[in-house]
Amino acid sequence: MQTLEGVLERLTFHNEETGYTVARLVPDDKDYEVTVVGNMLGVSVGEHVRIEGEWTVHVQHGRQFKVERYTSVLPATAAGIEKYLGSGLVKGVGPVTAKRIVRKFGADTLTVIDENPDQLHQVLGVGPKRVRQIKAAWHEQRQIREVMVFLQSNGVSPALAVRIYKQYGDGSAAVVTNDPYRLARDVHGIGFITADKIARNQGIALDAPERVAAGVAYTLGKKADDGHVYVPQGELVQASATLLEVPQALVIEAIDTLSRDDQVHVDATVRSSQGIGLAEERAVYLTPFYYGEIGVAGRLQRLMHATEDRLYTFHSFDWPQAFAVVQRDIGLALTPKQQEAVRTALTQRVAVLTGGPGTGKTTTMKTLIRLLDATGLNYMLASPTGRAAKRLSEATGKQAKTIHRLLEFSPGGEGGFGFGRNEDNPLTADMVIVDEASMLDLLLTNSLLKAIPAGAHLLLIGDIDQLPPVGAGNVLRDVIDSGAAAVVRLDVVFRQAAGSYIIENAHRINRGQMPEWNPQESKDFFLFQTDEPERAAELIGEIVQERVPRRFGVPSQDIQVLSPMHRGEVGVGALNERLQALLNPPSPSRPERRLGGRIFRLGDRVMQIRNNYDKDVYNGDLGMIASLDPVEQMLTVRIDDRIVAYDFLELDELTHAYAVSVHKSQGSEFPAVVMPVMTQHYMMLQRNLLYTGVTRAKRLVVLVGTPRAVAIAVNNNRIADRYSGLSDRLRPIN
């Protein structure tokens, strides 16, 4: 095996999932570039690396150095040090400052920074504040390098070192050594498989109790990520034993141990879940989900059966007179179903209003709000996401908040964060109205219900034919299926909405009928036909960049591409790369930062991909990069009406959002939606997915694919069952 050492000049190709990289490297003491290829997950331009491997000759690309393993090393020459410091790898040092520092200290520069950083005061333009910044950044880099070396000795990618250091700081090596399975619980992107690899390299036995327990908890967590609140014990035992390659008896012992330690809860009382029969089998919950389910069921029942009623005045209301006044004021007559929905919400303590687009949910809600205003009663409007709350405010003319803001969320509570509104400090509302309730997962619903005071009314508004929530549970469907709450479903499409092909086709899709597209008649629904993924990707680029802006006057930034898949040529990842290159190409006026295979550039559309309670940003929030400072290693993102700051070490919380998955688009609405529907996606082509994508659009839908692929989606009405005991716990006992 040969060794090559030098500076990475640029990355030609980098796959974040596999780590496969094609890069150009300038070897030490050479003035030319060579091509290196292989697994180099996490490398950055400007890094000085030592690579072990061998020279090969590729038929098409010529001589290449094939990487077997690599490590980051510090450069030894003055020129190498200047390039290293000026590359943006050390916070607070840009090219100009790097040149001045190296001019002063030469090849001893890194020794000075490492051992006597106060000498940096001698450099022109480097004041006390900048010295402190460089010292802190250098210390952080040194700790990360140490974690990288340790991880690589255990066969783990260095890309994970940054995430581990972010979580544990200087204690990273100790955690990795003493409790490697903790990584799977604490660090985003590190699952049980990676943690187990580290643990096994340290000699932890295959049948070690801590390993089996960690594997069971991981399996439960993966099931929760798929939407399940619990897992039947037999299914859990089988899946865990297969994962761990241990006898099932050891898994059963681990479940008992986890139960005694209150990490899981085993319940024998749950009998059914949305058509899944459990017979006499035990249900195994992660403890928070068990108490969440018990809490939601109990709190809903207490609301429904409360002796107090804060809206008692509506029980003796003159409804015909009230509806006549509202009709006179807003010029719209409510249908009998809409009137029933208003009466139900104001006289039943827990009610559900559901229906598809164009059926009058918003008009019904506005009527209800007018009656609450007229009687001087206090109400609050909320939605699960910021974009949905903004839409709710615009539709009603009233203030609406995210549920997190409604509950006055703040970091620092129990478990590191908490809600200011709860049982001890309830909301001051006579009625709480939650829109886009199909997005409500179990744990958020439990937190909301804790804060609703006795006697108040709760109205859940949502479309149960959309995709289920991203989190575990399916609260809206469970509440409806239980029969415990009053439910009104609006099913008549209003005349003003009926002229829209978007709305007509949404309802056709929902009924299992093919949507219609007639280029001569339709003004808002089109299908561009191709069955070739590469051509489909090209078409999507043309549609977003040129065709829709030119023909419909919708600017590119108002067009959202939604894809059923993450991988492939028309998956989210590849489409983001293509659309970024078209809509926000490289420019000297647009600074950028590479993170693995992705480049974040000033002006990019981005999405938050996990909850960050300290920043008050949540999974699915969309924004645009408003500033990017390579020297200070900071960027800011404009999300709705505010600016959120990110350190470069936090960029793994963001992803590009020129294209997003249909699941991530829930609760949002866009002027125009472009969506590939390809037969290659057949595993994901479901009626509720196509329906959800189409209903995200206000003015225009463009499908790219084939009628056959659309038909596959329309005819596939299989709703993936979720294990949840909520409907069973709510169901009235006969």
Side-chain angles (χ1 to χ4, degrees), residues 1 93 98 146 235 258 329 351 364 383 419 433 534 607 625 641 643 671 692 699 727 734:
M1 196 173 290
V93 179
E146 289 176 5
E235 184 176 323
L258 289 167
D329 290 349
T364 303
S383 287
F419 292 105
I433 301 169
E534 177 59 33
M607 179 173 62
I625 296 178
D641 56 350
I643 295 291
T692 300
R699 292 176 52 189
S727 61
N734 295 325

Side-chain angles (χ1 to χ4, degrees), residues 103 112 126 154 163 211 221 247 260 343 378 430 455 510 526:
R103 187 185 300 147
V112 169
V126 180
N154 284 276
R163 294 180 184 175
R211 177 178 183 268
R260 287 194 298 272
R343 281 196 307 270
N378 186 19
D430 301 313
N510 210 20
F526 300 91

Side-chain angles (χ1 to χ4, degrees), residues 217-240:
Y218 166 77
T219 303
L220 275 172
K222 287 292 288 181
K223 292 289 188 180
D225 291 343
D226 293 336
H228 299 293
V229 178
Y230 68 82
V231 183
Q233 180 163 311
E235 184 176 323
L236 175 63
V237 169
Q238 185 174 1
S240 300

Side-chain angles (χ1 to χ4, degrees), residues 200-218:
R200 299 283 291 134
N201 280 336
Q202 294 185 69
I204 292 180
L206 200 69
D207 60 354
E210 64 268 34
R211 177 178 183 268
V212 181
V216 171
Y218 166 77

Side-chain angles (χ1 to χ4, degrees), residues 25-171:
L25 177 139
V26 176
D28 289 347
D29 302 323
K30 307 293 183 186
D31 59 358
Y32 56 83
E33 296 179 353
V34 298
T35 300
V36 295
V37 299
N39 191 319
M40 300 178 70
L41 187 62
V43 292
S44 298
V45 172
E47 273 191 86
H48 194 275
V49 294
R50 180 182 296 118
I51 302 172
E52 294 179 62
E54 61 179 354
W55 288 103
T56 62
V57 178
H58 190 276
V59 174
Q60 184 176 351
H61 302 293
R63 195 165 184 255
Q64 301 176 336
F65 193 83
K66 186 178 179 182
V67 179
E68 292 296 328
R69 56 178 175 264
Y70 86 97
T71 54
S72 294
V73 295
L74 296 176
T77 66
I81 292 170
E82 181 181 328
K83 183 169 288 189
Y84 174 79
L85 288 177
S87 67
L89 289 171
V90 180
K91 192 172 185 175
V93 179
V96 173
T97 303
K99 184 182 287 293
R100 290 174 178 170
I101 292 173
V102 174
R103 187 185 300 147
K104 177 69 177 176
F105 300 111
D108 296 328
T109 295
L110 298 184
T111 303
V112 169
I113 295 175
D114 204 33
E115 298 176 1
N116 298 293
D118 288 333
Q119 290 188 33
L120 294 171
H121 287 299
Q122 301 172 26
V123 178
L124 178 68
V126 180
K129 181 180 177 181
R130 182 54 54 90
V131 170
R132 287 194 300 272
Q133 190 177 28
I134 294 171
K135 284 166 69 174
W138 187 254
H139 172 78
E140 193 172 75
Q141 285 287 330
R142 184 169 56 197
Q143 293 295 321
I144 291 173
R145 284 197 301 274
E146 289 176 5
V147 174
M148 278 187 176
V149 170
F150 178 81
L151 286 175
Q152 285 196 295
S153 69
N154 284 276
V156 178
S157 156
L160 301 176
V162 173
R163 294 180 184 175
I164 292 172
Y165 183 80
K166 277 173 59 180
Q167 182 70 32
Y168 305 117
D170 293 353

